[in-house]
Amino acid sequence: MSKTIFITGASRGFGKLWTEALLKRGDKVAATSRNIEAYKDLAKQYPDTFLPISLDITNREAVFEAVNKAKDHFGNLDVVINNAGYGVFGAVEEVGEKVTKDVFEANVYGTLWVTQAALPIFRTQGSGHVIQLSSVLGVWSLPTLGIYNATKFAVEGFSEALASEVKDFGINVTMIEPNGYTTDFGGSSAVHGDTIPAYNTLKSSLGQAEGLQPEDYGKPEATVPAILKLIDSENPPLRLFLGKVGLRKTERVYAEKLKTWNDWKEVSEAAHGH
């Protein structure tokens, strides 16, 4: 049975791949972007099942209008995919006020507004699936990506709480955790902070420290079957890792965290007071 999906940031990268795959298999898709010119070919190819919507996700009122437009156009809404967002590169000290506020507006508030707009529809239906494009960098941090980390940690925080809040309404929540992929994440869509020379040595050593090889970056098109399976699942997971690298490193990072926490367990428990 076909589904109706609302997806943001679908003009490139993962969003474009997933939109094309969903339309190809017969789903109905409302896709947003600031510039819908990128959707001309899809609109011609799928005139009855594709709805392009021009949207700035940082505009809460416009987001609510767009989500409701999609629901009214297709008659229902099954899945919302919050894919829009971008990366910010730079040490924490290097990222200025405007860059920080702008990325939080897009990655956190934009995701939140779309989620809030979809929830009344899902509650009325008694079903729905909120899918957040998070990142392995919402589970652990990397130097020179701290502000981007912060946005994804924020999405993880409210989405995990949300999952418990809406479970009894028949609504599922999933955070997608991709490792590195050969998308445009670090290219034209990325923003960079102001360079402070004191961090140059750190930056030059990062690639070597992580030990990443070309094959450690996933192929974006390989994510399509996983996304389709996730959307079709009757019992989707709260988190879904994409790629071979992310979960391996997460296991290592959290083992180290648990060891440290346990090493300080006596101090922690003494701080309880009784």
Side-chain angles (χ1 to χ4, degrees):
M1 185 178 294
S2 68
K3 293 182 179 289
T4 303
I5 294 101
F6 182 95
I7 180 170
T8 64
S11 63
R12 65 166 104 181
F14 286 138
K16 184 178 182 181
L17 281 169
W18 300 343
T19 296
E20 291 173 344
L22 290 164
L23 288 168
K24 186 176 181 180
R25 75 169 192 168
D27 291 318
K28 301 169 185 175
V29 180
T32 80
S33 179
R34 286 177 182 264
N35 180 10
I36 61 173
E37 283 296 304
Y39 297 140
K40 284 194 300 184
D41 291 343
L42 286 178
K44 289 179 182 178
Q45 191 174 357
Y46 301 98
D48 299 324
T49 57
F50 182 62
L51 177 66
I53 302 175
S54 178
L55 178 64
D56 174 1
I57 59 168
T58 67
N59 183 328
R60 189 174 188 268
E61 183 179 352
V63 166
F64 274 70
E65 290 176 358
V67 172
N68 282 286
K69 178 180 180 179
K71 188 263 182 184
D72 292 341
H73 181 83
F74 290 121
N76 71 307
L77 191 62
D78 298 305
V79 180
V80 161
I81 303 176
N82 276 303
N83 172 69
Y86 62 91
V88 168
F89 292 78
V92 169
E93 186 183 357
E94 294 178 321
V95 182
E97 180 180 5
K98 186 179 187 305
V99 171
T100 300
K101 288 182 175 179
D102 286 350
V103 74
F104 267 84
E105 285 285 349
N107 291 9
V108 181
Y109 294 118
T111 298
L112 178 59
W113 304 153
V114 173
T115 301
Q116 289 180 337
L119 290 176
I121 298 170
F122 288 167
R123 279 193 290 104
T124 300
Q125 294 174 169
S127 64
H129 191 181
V130 178
I131 298 176
Q132 319 287 41
L133 185 65
S134 184
S135 168
V136 291
L137 299 183
V139 183
W140 37 263
S141 296
L142 277 182
T144 73
L145 281 162
I147 301 303
Y148 176 76
N149 277 125
T151 67
K152 292 305 183 181
F153 270 63
V155 170
E156 295 267 336
F158 83 71
S159 297
E160 187 170 290
L162 174 69
S164 297
E165 294 167 355
V166 300
K167 182 179 180 180
D168 290 343
F169 301 136
I171 303 171
N172 293 305
V173 177
T174 299
M175 289 164 274
I176 299 174
E177 321 282 11
N179 54 220
Y181 275 81
T182 54
T183 63
D184 192 41
F185 174 76
S188 61
S189 65
V191 175
H192 295 262
D194 299 322
T195 299
I196 296 176
Y199 295 102
N200 288 348
T201 300
L202 169 69
K203 291 175 185 177
S204 64
S205 66
L206 279 177
Q208 183 178 356
E210 288 298 310
L212 292 175
Q213 303 299 319
E215 60 269 22
D216 290 323
Y217 292 88
K219 298 179 179 179
E221 60 272 16
T223 65
V224 169
I227 296 304
L228 299 183
K229 186 171 183 177
L230 175 66
I231 288 172
D232 292 341
S233 174
E234 293 183 4
N235 186 28
L238 178 60
R239 288 179 174 85
L240 174 64
F241 283 82
L242 295 182
K244 295 180 178 180
V245 177
L247 182 55
R248 287 204 308 257
K249 176 157 182 176
T250 300
E251 289 173 335
R252 188 169 72 250
V253 167
Y254 273 81
E256 293 170 356
K257 288 184 176 184
L258 284 167
K259 182 182 184 305
T260 300
W261 296 334
N262 279 303
D263 286 345
W264 283 78
K265 184 178 179 180
E266 288 186 14
V267 177
S268 301
E269 292 183 348
H272 191 69
H274 60 83

